[in-house]
Amino acid sequence: MIREIEQLIASGMLDPFDRYFVRTLQRLAPTATPHALVLGALARTAVGSGHVCLDLKRLAIGDIFSSAPPLAELIVELQESPLVSRDGSLAPLVLEGERLYLQRYWLYEEELVREIRGRATNPVPVQEDLLATCLAQLFPGTELDSPQREACSKIFRQRLGLITGGPGTGKTTLVTKYLVLLLLYAQAAGEPPPRIMLLAPTGKAAARLTESLQQKKGEVVSPELCGAMPNKASTIHRALGYRPETPTTFRYNRENPLPCEVVVVDEASMIDVALMAKLFAAVGPTARLVLLGDKDQLASVEAGSILGDICAAVMDDGVGIGENPLARCVVRLTESFRYSSQEGIGALAKAIHAGKPDEVVSLAQQGSAEVGLLPPLLQADPAHPLAEIILAGYRPFLEAKDPLSALELFERFRILCGHRTGPMGVSSLNRYAEKVLTLQGLIDPNTPWYRGRPVLIQANSYPLRLFNGETGILWDADEGDGLKAFFFSENRETVRSYSLRQLPAHETAFAMTIHKSQGSEFDRVALVLPGEDSALLSRELLYTGISRARRQVALVGRPQEIEAAVGRRVERASGLGEKLKG
């Protein structure tokens, strides 16, 4: 086995699995050089870390190879390697400039570039007089010159629309008006209403999109158009026809596109490169595709930062770059109707986004009605101020009279963590919350199955209609036959119940990771920092965590952790943004 592989496994730069990966590469290309084999393994590991490719110019070559050749020599060696394709021909790896891809991920990126460019350069033919009439109907009086009207008019003309903005900037309001505009225009043109699909990457995000649109619909949709508006959002996997027996293929694809004219996708920042490529392929070439999301949030757990890459290709602090046709497809909403930019959560989010660690720390230490900084939690101290916050946040749902009320109250507060494991991770904070609540007699966790235990689903169960990211609670059943697990129904006005034996993989949910919280919002959040200089601690993590709170956020940790987070950006290696600029 190559000496460098063993050294890199010992250092943690490669996984033990890479021994087998390299052996596979050696069988495919017995003449491949050790350098090419090591770089191939690093490209595989890069995908596992969220990158679409291995950026060779970022490599610390001296830390990888005992005798480090110059980068230019390594690239020449790769160009000549039988493992590497330079023209898209079949090979395990693809070299593109200074980026080394696994072939599958290069193909995903290339497919996305073609799809995005094709949609951006093929606008929808519009009857301008009809559009003007419909816009005047939708935006009467003082709204005639509103930014929402301008944004609606802009994306109406495109087959691809991207709406990005932070919490409370009106993304859902804008997309609701956009859908109404489509219906008004079809009505005025004497055409049937377009078939509309609402999608999101997780079951939780789909439920939130459904709920948000139902609320907005009553404000802007006339009764005669209500019937044509979609009533429910679905997960992307379910809409595309996910099949567990063939998990890399879907029922709907380029040859069999989705049966609709409009597809709206929320929480687009959470979608990885593989799923995004399959989504674009499944939306017919003449259909409209609209992506909503916050480009400044954490990117997907899997490889890619697609929404951020697309926006970066056409934006410089929110301004479209040059004559790139893609710029006509992107709308950035900057005014928050939820937070003040001068104080509280809004000011904190603004300072984090601007990369000003001193200002972020100052705002947290000064405190306000919306923001507070608590000292680190040491040795699960039950007298720590976090204990009072947990009691205030969770007592109402635990004292509720019925499971529906309990679910509604549970959604008002959450503990968020950067890590799953470790002293400040989800597992530890769940145990801490249980300890605090037990001391007050609110729960009795003598077994894993106790009244009031919140659970977070970790795997999709299509037969049960329970999906990854959904939260429920264990509660007394009406029939008097013990505990059952209760979840919101699809309209969130009633509950569904399941026997405990039916539950798919799940975990206790007093605390959850910031990644898992994406697509959710709570009135109050306690954000527990890792307590160490964790590689996960980043500006995007901190911004995503604090922006889950509508009214109040308490940071638990040290000022230096906040400074470290604000000073560290998540940069994912990819060629998408660069290709879309060209």
Side-chain angles (χ1 to χ4, degrees), residues 13 105 126 157 159 205 347 369 371 424 441:
M13 292 181 69
Y105 284 85
V126 171
R157 303 168 191 275
R159 299 196 192 279
V371 174
M424 298 297 110

Side-chain angles (χ1 to χ4, degrees), residues 380-581:
D381 178 12
H384 190 279
L386 178 60
E388 294 182 20
I389 292 174
I390 289 171
L391 285 171
Y394 288 142
R395 183 190 293 274
F397 101 84
L398 292 168
E399 294 180 343
K401 301 300 183 186
D402 58 77
L404 178 59
S405 300
L407 282 168
E408 291 170 343
L409 292 167
F410 178 63
E411 291 301 306
R412 294 183 181 179
F413 170 72
R414 198 72 85 249
I415 305 167
L416 301 183
C417 310
H419 285 191
R420 287 193 56 77
T421 58
M424 298 297 110
V426 167
S427 298
S428 296
L429 267 296
N430 271 318
R431 289 194 297 271
Y432 178 73
E434 286 180 329
K435 177 181 177 181
V436 168
L437 297 167
T438 300
L439 287 173
Q440 294 295 315
L442 293 168
I443 60 172
D444 183 16
N446 288 324
T447 75
W449 311 107
Y450 59 86
R451 181 187 185 275
R453 180 191 171 204
V455 291
L456 178 71
I457 299 299
Q458 295 176 293
N460 292 333
S461 173
Y462 290 98
L464 295 177
R465 293 179 295 117
L466 287 175
F467 302 104
N468 186 12
E470 282 194 76
T471 50
I473 55 168
L474 307 190
W475 208 261
D476 301 314
D478 287 339
E479 308 89 86
D481 57 353
L483 296 177
K484 284 192 173 183
F486 290 86
F487 294 81
F488 280 118
S489 62
E490 292 173 356
N491 62 11
R492 298 179 71 85
E493 294 177 359
T494 57
V495 292
R496 298 170 286 156
S497 65
Y498 302 87
S499 74
L500 303 185
R501 294 188 302 274
Q502 286 181 292
L503 285 180
H506 61 279
E507 63 183 356
T508 303
F510 290 114
M512 63 194 302
T513 63
I514 295 172
H515 265 105
K516 281 281 189 182
S517 74
Q518 288 182 267
S520 300
E521 291 179 351
F522 312 99
D523 288 345
R524 293 171 177 81
V525 160
L527 200 166
V528 182
L529 298 171
E532 57 190 38
D533 187 16
S534 163
L536 289 178
L537 198 56
S538 68
R539 190 182 304 179
E540 291 81 3
L541 187 85
L542 190 60
Y543 171 83
T544 302
I546 69 121
S547 61
R548 298 308 88 205
R550 298 187 190 96
R551 299 180 184 174
Q552 200 171 62
V553 60
L555 296 162
V556 181
R558 299 168 298 169
Q560 51 264 46
E561 292 175 76
I562 296 174
E563 291 175 350
V566 178
R568 181 184 289 132
R569 296 295 306 270
V570 174
E571 294 185 9
R572 292 195 164 178
S574 159
L576 182 64
E578 183 180 311
K579 292 172 184 177
L580 291 175
K581 284 181 182 178

